């Protein structure tokens, strides 16, 4: 079959959706033809393109078409919105002219799903919606926009797109619950997680990168990844302040929109350190560090964002500290598998109590790490991409 994939970002863009779109196309093109309709690279790209109205690249069963959207750096919202609008204004007419068996839309820009539903309806093709981040829920919950008439209209249009979708592919159980609560038939909502390639062997935790991250702390919590608006940062920092004199350290490895704010929260606390992202080749070494790895989602955003950083942590055999609501996927997985500890994202005292419970119990930490490694095989990326591909095939054959 021929699949038309709509997403503004595609490599050399480096966004999460660009990487995911690449993984999806790699899997699909083994059996099918895929046309990706993207914009000019603008999300921290590894290379930039000169201006053009339209560009086409053919790589075997994959065709990458790019429309001549603006390509401003993503850091200024007005310019990012310009990228969004110019992409959509050029991509929607082009999508209508491309013959395909199915329209698949992701979530960049945030109204891409609505655009995909429109293309599907106008061209009488089945539409499948792959939700990476749920809008406008995320924009409102993250205080990016204020709730009002604009977000109400956005939500109404989004629900229309959900109803138009032959299938809605989501990242976890909590996101599925959110979608079903919006009135979508549960039989049309499929879970296909980001997953992870499971390494056959793990690096020794006594490596130079891990030693640098651990520093002089006796018990180390690591948050490796994006410092986004969705985390319960204040709760986490407040808890670490209470543990400052007990040898506990929290090390952030990475960047993100909330980094400056989190640094401000942690000002003067010796138990919190910030380190930059490490090269991709050193990620396994980063994951080998720390007694526990932190995954956090603040209340109200459960099912709106599903942190993919959980899966490489499990594959690395490291215990997880989930500072998130009970409804979150990370907490459900912790409860089912025993791969870590879960704590209330609104209560620093609960986080402190959870950490103190394992602070001097190396055997419990070891067992949680073994459980993490064991459950990781349930989220093997090949298995998850197979679910994704089979869902599309099912839609076309209906």
């Amino acid at each position: 079959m021929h699949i038309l994939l709509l997403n503004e970002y595609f490599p050399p863009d480096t966004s999460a959706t660009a990487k995911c779109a690449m993984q999806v196309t790699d899997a699909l093109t083994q059996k099918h033809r895929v046309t990706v309709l993207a914009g000019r690279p603008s999300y921290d790209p590894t290379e930039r393109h000169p201006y053009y109205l339209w560009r086409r690249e053919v790589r075997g069963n994959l065709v990458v078409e790019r429309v001549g959207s603006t390509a401003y750096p993503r850091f200024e919202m007005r310019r990012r919105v310009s990228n969004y609008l110019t992409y959509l204004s050029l991509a929607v007419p082009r999508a209508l002219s491309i013959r395909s068996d199915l329209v698949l839309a992701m979530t960049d820009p945030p109204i891409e799903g609505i655009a995909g539903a429109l293309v599907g309806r106008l061209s009488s093709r089945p539409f499948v919606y792959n939700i990476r981040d749920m809008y406008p829920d995320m924009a409102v919950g993250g205080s990016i926009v204020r709730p009002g008439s604009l977000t109400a209209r956005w939500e109404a249009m989004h629900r229309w797109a959900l109803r138009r979708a032959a299938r809605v592919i989501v990242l976890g159980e909590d996101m599925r619950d959110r979608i079903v609560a919006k009135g979508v038939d549960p039989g049309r909502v499929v879970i296909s997680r980001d997953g992870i390639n499971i390494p056959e062997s793990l690096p020794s935790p006594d490596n130079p990168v891990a030693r640098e991250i651990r520093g002089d702390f006796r018990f180390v919590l690591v948050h490796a990844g994006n410092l986004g608006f969705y985390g319960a940062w204040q709760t986490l920092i407040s808890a670490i302040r209470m543990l400052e004199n007990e040898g506990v350290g929290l090390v952030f490895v990475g960047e993100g929109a909330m980094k400056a704010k989190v640094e401000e929260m942690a000002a003067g606390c010796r138990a919190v350190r910030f380190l930059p992202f490490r090269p991709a080749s050193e990620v396994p070494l980063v994951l080998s560090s720390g007694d526990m790895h932190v995954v956090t989602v603040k209340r109200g955003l459960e099912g709106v964002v599903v942190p993919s950083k959980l899966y490489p942590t499990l594959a690395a055999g490291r215990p997880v500290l989930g500072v998130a609501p009970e409804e979150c996927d990370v907490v459900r997985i912790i409860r089912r598998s025993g791969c870590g500890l879960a704590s209330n994202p609104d209560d620093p005292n609960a986080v402190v109590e959870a950490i103190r419970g394992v602070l001097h119990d190396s055997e419990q930490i070891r067992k949680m790490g073994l459980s993490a490694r064991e459950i990781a095989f349930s989220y093997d990326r090949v298995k998850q991409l197979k679910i994704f591909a089979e869902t599309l095939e099912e839609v076309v054959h209906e």
Side-chain angles (χ1 to χ4, degrees):
M1 62 184 177
H2 182 197
I3 301 156
L4 173 61
L5 170 58
L6 304 178
N7 199 64
E8 180 185 2
Y9 302 134
F10 194 77
D13 286 306
T14 59
S15 72
T17 58
K19 295 172 184 176
C20 177
M22 187 74 251
Q23 292 166 3
V24 166
T25 57
D26 283 346
L28 292 174
T29 51
Q30 293 179 26
K31 292 175 61 178
H32 309 291
R33 290 186 299 128
V34 179
T35 297
V36 174
L37 189 52
R40 287 170 62 218
S42 63
Y43 194 108
D44 301 341
T46 55
E47 65 175 277
R48 290 195 174 272
H49 290 183
Y51 177 75
Y52 45 74
L53 184 61
W54 176 76
R55 173 170 167 167
R56 189 170 190 263
E57 309 162 30
V58 181
R59 313 170 191 170
N61 278 342
L62 174 64
V63 175
V64 181
E65 293 201 7
R66 298 184 185 274
V67 294
S69 55
T70 56
Y72 294 117
R74 67 186 178 91
F75 301 105
E76 187 178 329
M77 183 53 71
R78 286 186 180 182
R79 292 190 167 191
R80 193 193 296 195
V81 169
S82 172
N83 294 348
Y84 291 164
L85 296 179
T86 53
Y87 165 74
L88 289 169
S89 64
L90 294 168
V92 169
R94 178 58 187 151
L96 290 170
S97 68
I98 296 174
R99 294 184 178 182
S100 68
D101 299 301
L102 177 146
V103 177
L104 169 65
M106 291 185 173
T107 49
D108 274 319
I111 60 171
E112 185 78 277
I114 299 169
L118 178 64
V119 169
R121 179 173 182 176
L122 293 177
S123 60
S124 300
R125 283 176 283 178
F127 162 59
V128 175
Y129 190 8
N130 178 210
I131 299 182
R132 315 298 306 173
D133 297 305
M134 187 156 27
Y135 289 96
D137 308 60
M138 190 161 84
V140 174
S143 301
I144 298 172
V145 297
R146 294 180 180 178
S149 58
L150 175 62
T151 54
R153 288 195 295 271
W154 186 357
E155 174 65 11
M157 294 174 66
H158 187 238
R159 291 190 181 220
W160 171 81
L162 290 169
R163 291 193 301 270
R164 287 286 310 163
R167 296 290 187 279
V168 181
I169 302 177
V170 298
L171 298 176
E173 296 170 28
D174 50 359
M175 187 175 280
R176 184 180 188 277
D177 291 345
R178 282 255 183 180
I179 295 298
V180 171
K182 292 177 184 289
V184 179
D185 176 5
R188 293 193 290 112
V189 186
V190 178
I191 298 173
S192 174
R193 303 173 189 273
D194 278 342
I196 185 66
N197 295 324
I198 312 294
E200 292 184 7
S201 60
L202 301 176
S204 166
D206 186 27
N207 61 74
V209 172
R211 289 198 297 270
E212 178 187 344
I213 291 171
R214 294 191 66 89
D216 297 328
F217 298 130
R218 185 168 56 81
F219 188 94
V220 181
L221 300 168
V222 173
H223 182 281
N226 182 48
L227 280 157
F229 64 83
Y230 53 80
W233 307 120
Q234 188 61 68
T235 297
L236 189 58
I237 296 297
S238 297
I240 297 304
R241 285 187 181 277
M242 297 182 204
L243 294 165
E244 186 171 2
N245 297 321
E246 299 181 38
V248 177
L250 170 62
V251 182
F252 291 100
V253 183
E255 308 293 333
M258 287 292 290
K259 183 176 181 180
K261 187 69 174 177
V262 178
E263 287 177 326
E264 184 181 319
M265 294 175 189
C269 181
R270 300 185 309 277
V272 181
R273 295 172 58 216
F274 294 86
L275 298 175
F277 274 125
R278 307 293 297 218
S281 61
E282 295 183 2
V283 168
L285 305 179
V286 173
L287 293 173
S288 72
S289 67
D291 296 283
M292 301 190 80
H293 280 249
V294 178
V295 179
T296 177
V297 177
K298 68 181 180 181
R299 192 171 304 282
L301 292 182
E302 56 273 18
V304 175
V305 290
V306 181
S308 59
K309 69 189 298 296
L310 170 65
Y311 306 114
T313 300
L314 297 176
R318 305 311 298 161
V320 179
L321 174 63
V323 183
E326 287 290 324
E327 299 83 0
C328 269
D329 248 32
V330 59
V331 175
R332 298 186 197 198
I333 291 169
I334 289 170
R335 299 290 190 212
R336 283 199 296 260
S337 68
C339 68
L341 304 172
S343 189
N344 188 339
D346 304 318
D347 186 356
N349 290 302
V351 178
V352 169
E353 183 179 348
I355 295 170
R356 282 179 176 157
V358 296
L359 194 52
H360 304 288
D361 194 341
S362 58
E363 180 61 17
Q364 188 177 353
I365 290 290
R366 186 187 72 83
K367 288 181 178 178
M368 290 190 297
L370 292 175
S371 296
R373 177 72 173 177
E374 183 179 351
I375 194 66
F377 288 91
S378 301
Y379 309 119
D380 176 73
R381 181 169 289 153
V382 173
K383 294 179 182 177
Q384 299 303 314
L385 288 171
K386 183 180 179 182
I387 294 170
F388 198 109
E390 288 175 348
T391 299
L392 302 187
E393 292 166 358
E394 185 179 86
V395 169
V396 169
H397 294 145
E398 284 182 347

